[in-house]
Amino acid sequence: MSSSEQDMADRAREDLAGRLGLSESDIAVRSVEQTEFPDAALGAPVKDEMSAQVITDGWRIRLMANGKPYEYRANARQLRLLNFNGENYRI
């Protein structure tokens, strides 16, 4: 895993721990995989957000907490939480 991937996975764990009121050690990184997203919002736009419709390279970060899966999407410039309680979030 590159340092950028690791940095984003660490940021995702920190964010999810804060949202769930857990310790970061309670959040497991299941996988970090390189992928292409369909737009500059990494396929996870926030409400009323417009983004460039351009293929964007990044990472899909899958975490597990309390037996439940969570997905973050990232590239070198942004981190997004996908469908958390029915909404996307830009971190």
Side-chain angles (χ1 to χ4, degrees):
M1 187 180 312
S2 74
S3 64
S4 295
E5 286 174 281
Q6 186 63 54
D7 290 345
M8 286 303 190
D10 291 344
R11 285 183 58 200
R13 284 180 68 217
E14 179 183 357
D15 180 73
L16 187 59
R19 288 177 190 277
L20 299 176
L22 299 172
S23 167
E24 285 182 46
S25 63
D26 295 327
I27 311 294
V29 177
R30 304 293 289 187
S31 66
V32 179
E33 55 194 44
Q34 290 185 334
T35 191
E36 292 180 338
F37 297 105
D39 54 41
L42 310 180
V46 297
K47 185 176 167 101
D48 298 327
E49 178 182 36
M50 295 184 68
S51 64
Q53 300 300 297
V54 58
I55 300 297
T56 305
D57 292 329
W59 306 285
R60 180 173 283 117
I61 302 165
R62 292 190 168 107
L63 306 178
M64 183 73 73
N66 292 332
K68 187 174 177 188
Y70 297 90
E71 183 176 321
Y72 283 78
R73 295 177 176 190
N75 66 12
R77 293 179 294 282
Q78 63 180 317
L79 178 66
R80 292 173 180 257
L81 174 56
L82 179 69
N83 197 23
F84 180 80
N85 295 331
E87 294 187 49
N88 297 328
Y89 294 89
R90 184 170 185 182
I91 314 307

